[in-house]
Coordinates of all heavy atoms in Angstrom, one line a residue:
Chain A
M1 N 90.4 56.8 161.5 CA 90.8 56.4 160.1 C 92.1 57.2 159.8 O 92.2 58.4 160.1 CB 89.7 56.9 159.2 CG 88.4 56.1 159.3 SD 87.3 56.4 157.9 CE 86.8 58.1 158.2
A4 N 96.3 56.5 155.2 CA 96.3 55.5 154.2 C 94.9 55.0 153.8 O 94.7 54.4 152.8 CB 97.1 54.3 154.7
Q5 N 93.9 55.4 154.6 CA 92.5 55.0 154.4 C 91.7 56.1 153.7 O 90.8 55.8 153.1 CB 91.9 54.7 155.7 CG 91.0 53.5 155.7 CD 90.6 53.1 157.1 OE1 91.2 53.5 158.1 NE2 89.6 52.2 157.3
P9 N 94.8 57.2 149.1 CA 94.2 56.6 147.8 C 93.8 57.7 146.8 O 94.0 57.6 145.6 CB 93.0 55.8 148.3 CG 93.3 55.5 149.7 CD 94.0 56.7 150.3
Y12 N 96.9 59.2 145.2 CA 97.5 58.3 144.3 C 96.6 58.2 143.0 O 97.1 58.2 141.9 CB 97.6 56.9 145.0 CG 98.4 55.9 144.3 CD1 99.8 55.7 144.6 CD2 98.0 55.1 143.2 CE1 100.6 54.8 144.0 CE2 98.8 54.2 142.6 CZ 100.1 54.0 143.0 OH 100.9 53.1 142.3
L13 N 95.3 58.1 143.2 CA 94.4 57.9 142.1 C 94.5 59.1 141.1 O 94.7 59.0 139.9 CB 93.0 57.8 142.6 CG 91.9 57.6 141.5 CD1 92.0 56.4 140.7 CD2 90.5 57.6 142.1
G17 N 96.8 58.6 138.0 CA 95.8 58.7 136.9 C 95.9 60.0 136.2 O 95.7 60.1 135.0
F21 N 96.2 61.0 132.3 CA 95.2 61.9 131.7 C 95.9 63.1 131.0 O 95.7 63.4 129.9 CB 94.3 62.4 132.8 CG 93.2 63.4 132.3 CD1 92.1 62.9 131.6 CD2 93.4 64.7 132.5 CE1 91.2 63.8 131.1 CE2 92.4 65.6 132.0 CZ 91.3 65.1 131.3
T31 N 99.3 66.0 118.4 CA 99.2 65.3 117.1 C 98.0 65.9 116.3 O 97.7 65.4 115.2 CB 98.9 63.8 117.3 OG1 97.7 63.7 118.2 CG2 100.1 63.1 118.0
A33 N 95.0 65.5 116.8 CA 93.8 64.7 116.8 C 92.7 65.5 117.4 O 91.5 65.3 117.0 CB 94.1 63.4 117.6
L34 N 93.0 66.3 118.4 CA 92.0 67.3 118.9 C 92.5 68.7 118.6 O 93.6 69.1 119.0 CB 91.9 67.1 120.5 CG 91.1 68.1 121.3 CD1 89.6 68.0 120.9 CD2 91.2 67.8 122.7
R35 N 91.7 69.4 117.8 CA 92.1 70.7 117.3 C 91.2 71.8 118.0 O 90.0 71.8 117.7 CB 91.9 70.8 115.8 CG 92.8 69.9 115.1 CD 92.9 70.4 113.6 NE 93.1 69.3 112.7 CZ 93.3 69.4 111.4 NH1 93.2 70.6 110.9 NH2 93.5 68.4 110.7
W44 N 84.8 69.7 123.4 CA 85.4 68.4 123.9 C 86.5 68.7 124.9 O 86.7 67.9 125.9 CB 85.9 67.5 122.8 CG 84.7 66.9 122.1 CD1 84.3 67.0 120.8 CD2 83.8 66.0 122.6 NE1 83.2 66.3 120.5 CE2 82.9 65.6 121.6 CE3 83.6 65.4 123.9 CZ2 81.8 64.7 121.8 CZ3 82.6 64.5 124.1 CH2 81.7 64.2 123.1
V47 N 84.7 69.3 128.0 CA 84.1 68.0 128.5 C 85.2 67.2 129.2 O 85.0 66.6 130.3 CB 83.4 67.2 127.4 CG1 82.9 65.9 127.9 CG2 82.1 68.0 126.9
L48 N 86.3 67.0 128.5 CA 87.4 66.2 129.1 C 87.9 66.7 130.4 O 88.1 65.9 131.4 CB 88.5 66.1 128.1 CG 88.2 65.3 126.8 CD1 89.3 65.4 125.7 CD2 88.0 63.8 127.1
G51 N 85.2 66.2 133.1 CA 85.1 64.8 133.6 C 86.1 64.5 134.7 O 85.8 63.9 135.7
F52 N 87.3 65.0 134.5 CA 88.4 64.8 135.5 C 88.0 65.4 136.8 O 88.1 64.8 137.9 CB 89.7 65.3 135.0 CG 90.9 65.0 135.8 CD1 91.6 63.8 135.7 CD2 91.3 65.9 136.8 CE1 92.6 63.5 136.5 CE2 92.4 65.6 137.6 CZ 93.1 64.4 137.5
F54 N 85.1 66.4 137.8 CA 83.8 65.8 138.3 C 84.1 64.6 139.2 O 83.6 64.5 140.3 CB 83.0 65.4 137.1 CG 81.8 64.6 137.4 CD1 80.6 65.1 138.0 CD2 81.7 63.2 137.1 CE1 79.5 64.3 138.2 CE2 80.6 62.4 137.3 CZ 79.5 63.0 137.9
Y55 N 84.9 63.7 138.7 CA 85.2 62.5 139.5 C 86.1 62.8 140.7 O 85.8 62.3 141.8 CB 85.9 61.4 138.6 CG 84.9 60.6 137.9 CD1 84.8 60.6 136.5 CD2 84.0 59.8 138.5 CE1 83.9 59.9 135.8 CE2 83.1 59.0 137.9 CZ 83.0 59.1 136.5 OH 82.0 58.3 135.8
S69 N 81.9 62.2 159.6 CA 80.9 61.4 160.4 C 81.5 60.5 161.5 O 80.8 59.7 162.1 CB 80.1 60.5 159.4 OG 81.0 59.5 158.9
Chain B
W86 N 88.1 57.5 133.6 CA 88.2 58.7 132.9 C 89.6 59.0 132.3 O 89.7 59.7 131.3 CB 87.7 59.9 133.7 CG 87.4 61.2 132.9 CD1 88.2 62.3 132.8 CD2 86.4 61.4 131.9 NE1 87.6 63.2 131.9 CE2 86.5 62.6 131.3 CE3 85.3 60.6 131.5 CZ2 85.7 63.1 130.4 CZ3 84.4 61.1 130.5 CH2 84.6 62.3 130.0
F87 N 90.6 58.5 133.0 CA 92.0 58.9 132.7 C 92.4 58.5 131.2 O 93.2 59.2 130.7 CB 92.9 58.2 133.7 CG 92.6 58.4 135.1 CD1 92.3 57.4 135.9 CD2 92.5 59.7 135.6 CE1 91.9 57.6 137.3 CE2 92.2 60.0 136.9 CZ 91.8 58.9 137.7
P90 N 90.5 60.6 127.0 CA 91.0 61.4 125.9 C 91.7 60.6 124.7 O 91.4 60.8 123.6 CB 92.1 62.3 126.5 CG 91.7 62.4 128.0 CD 91.1 61.0 128.3
F94 N 89.9 60.5 121.0 CA 90.6 61.2 119.9 C 91.7 60.4 119.3 O 92.4 60.9 118.4 CB 91.0 62.6 120.4 CG 89.8 63.5 120.6 CD1 89.2 63.6 121.8 CD2 89.4 64.2 119.5 CE1 88.1 64.4 121.9 CE2 88.2 65.0 119.7 CZ 87.6 65.1 120.9
E223 N 84.1 54.1 158.0 CA 85.0 53.4 157.0 C 84.1 52.9 155.8 O 84.6 52.9 154.7 CB 85.6 52.1 157.6 CG 86.7 52.4 158.6 CD 86.2 52.8 160.0 OE1 85.0 52.9 160.2 OE2 87.1 53.1 160.9
K225 N 81.7 54.4 154.6 CA 81.2 55.6 153.8 C 82.3 56.0 152.8 O 82.1 56.9 152.0 CB 80.8 56.7 154.7 CG 79.5 56.4 155.4 CD 79.2 57.5 156.4 CE 78.0 57.1 157.3 NZ 77.9 58.0 158.5
L226 N 83.6 55.6 153.0 CA 84.7 56.0 152.2 C 84.5 55.5 150.7 O 84.2 54.3 150.5 CB 86.0 55.5 152.7 CG 86.5 56.3 154.0 CD1 87.7 55.5 154.6 CD2 87.0 57.7 153.6
A229 N 89.0 52.3 148.8 CA 89.4 51.4 149.8 C 90.7 51.8 150.5 O 91.4 52.7 150.0 CB 89.6 50.0 149.1
F231 N 94.5 51.9 151.3 CA 95.6 52.0 150.3 C 96.1 50.6 149.9 O 96.2 50.2 148.7 CB 96.7 52.9 150.7 CG 97.7 53.1 149.6 CD1 97.5 53.8 148.5 CD2 99.0 52.5 149.7 CE1 98.4 53.9 147.5 CE2 99.9 52.6 148.7 CZ 99.7 53.3 147.6
F239 N 93.0 49.5 147.6 CA 93.0 50.5 146.6 C 94.0 50.3 145.5 O 93.7 50.3 144.3 CB 93.1 51.9 147.2 CG 93.4 52.9 146.1 CD1 92.4 53.4 145.3 CD2 94.7 53.3 145.9 CE1 92.7 54.3 144.3 CE2 95.0 54.2 144.9 CZ 94.0 54.7 144.1
F243 N 93.5 49.6 141.6 CA 93.8 50.7 140.6 C 94.5 50.1 139.4 O 94.2 50.4 138.3 CB 94.6 51.8 141.3 CG 95.1 52.8 140.4 CD1 94.3 53.8 139.8 CD2 96.4 52.8 140.0 CE1 94.7 54.7 138.9 CE2 96.9 53.7 139.1 CZ 96.1 54.7 138.6
W244 N 95.6 49.3 139.7 CA 96.4 48.8 138.6 C 95.6 47.8 137.8 O 95.7 47.7 136.6 CB 97.7 48.3 139.1 CG 98.6 49.5 139.4 CD1 99.0 50.0 140.6 CD2 99.3 50.3 138.4 NE1 99.8 51.1 140.5 CE2 100.0 51.3 139.1 CE3 99.4 50.3 137.0 CZ2 100.8 52.3 138.5 CZ3 100.1 51.3 136.4 CH2 100.8 52.3 137.1
N272 N 81.8 61.3 115.9 CA 81.3 62.3 116.9 C 80.2 61.7 117.8 O 80.1 61.9 119.0 CB 80.9 63.6 116.2 CG 81.0 64.8 117.2 OD1 82.0 64.9 117.9 ND2 79.9 65.6 117.3
V282 N 80.4 57.3 130.5 CA 81.4 57.3 131.6 C 81.0 58.4 132.7 O 81.1 58.2 133.9 CB 82.8 57.6 131.1 CG1 83.8 57.6 132.3 CG2 83.2 56.5 130.2
L283 N 80.4 59.6 132.2 CA 80.1 60.6 133.1 C 78.8 60.4 133.9 O 78.7 60.9 135.0 CB 80.1 62.0 132.4 CG 81.4 62.6 132.1 CD1 81.1 64.0 131.3 CD2 82.2 62.9 133.3
P287 N 78.4 56.0 136.9 CA 78.1 56.2 138.3 C 76.7 55.7 138.7 O 76.5 55.1 139.8 CB 78.1 57.8 138.5 CG 78.9 58.3 137.4 CD 78.7 57.3 136.3
H465 N 103.7 47.5 146.7 CA 103.2 48.7 147.4 C 102.8 48.3 148.9 O 101.9 48.9 149.4 CB 102.0 49.3 146.8 CG 102.2 50.0 145.5 ND1 102.6 49.4 144.3 CD2 102.2 51.3 145.2 CE1 102.7 50.3 143.3 NE2 102.5 51.5 143.8
F512 N 99.3 59.6 115.3 CA 100.0 60.7 114.6 C 99.4 61.0 113.3 O 99.7 62.0 112.7 CB 101.5 60.3 114.5 CG 102.1 60.1 115.8 CD1 102.3 58.8 116.3 CD2 102.5 61.1 116.7 CE1 102.8 58.5 117.6 CE2 103.1 60.9 117.9 CZ 103.2 59.6 118.4
N515 N 94.6 63.1 112.2 CA 94.1 64.3 111.5 C 93.9 64.1 110.0 O 93.4 64.9 109.3 CB 94.9 65.5 111.8 CG 96.3 65.4 111.5 OD1 96.8 64.3 111.2 ND2 97.1 66.4 111.5

Side-chain angles (χ1 to χ4, degrees):
Chain A
M1 293 191 291
Q5 217 168 348
Y12 193 97
L13 180 62
F21 179 79
T31 55
L34 174 62
R35 292 196 211 187
W44 284 115
V47 171
L48 290 170
F52 187 86
F54 169 74
Y55 276 113
S69 71
Chain B
W86 194 252
F87 306 119
F94 288 90
E223 287 82 0
K225 289 173 187 165
L226 284 167
F231 185 71
F239 163 79
F243 170 76
W244 283 103
N272 206 46
V282 181
L283 279 180
H465 287 70
F512 304 95
N515 57 349

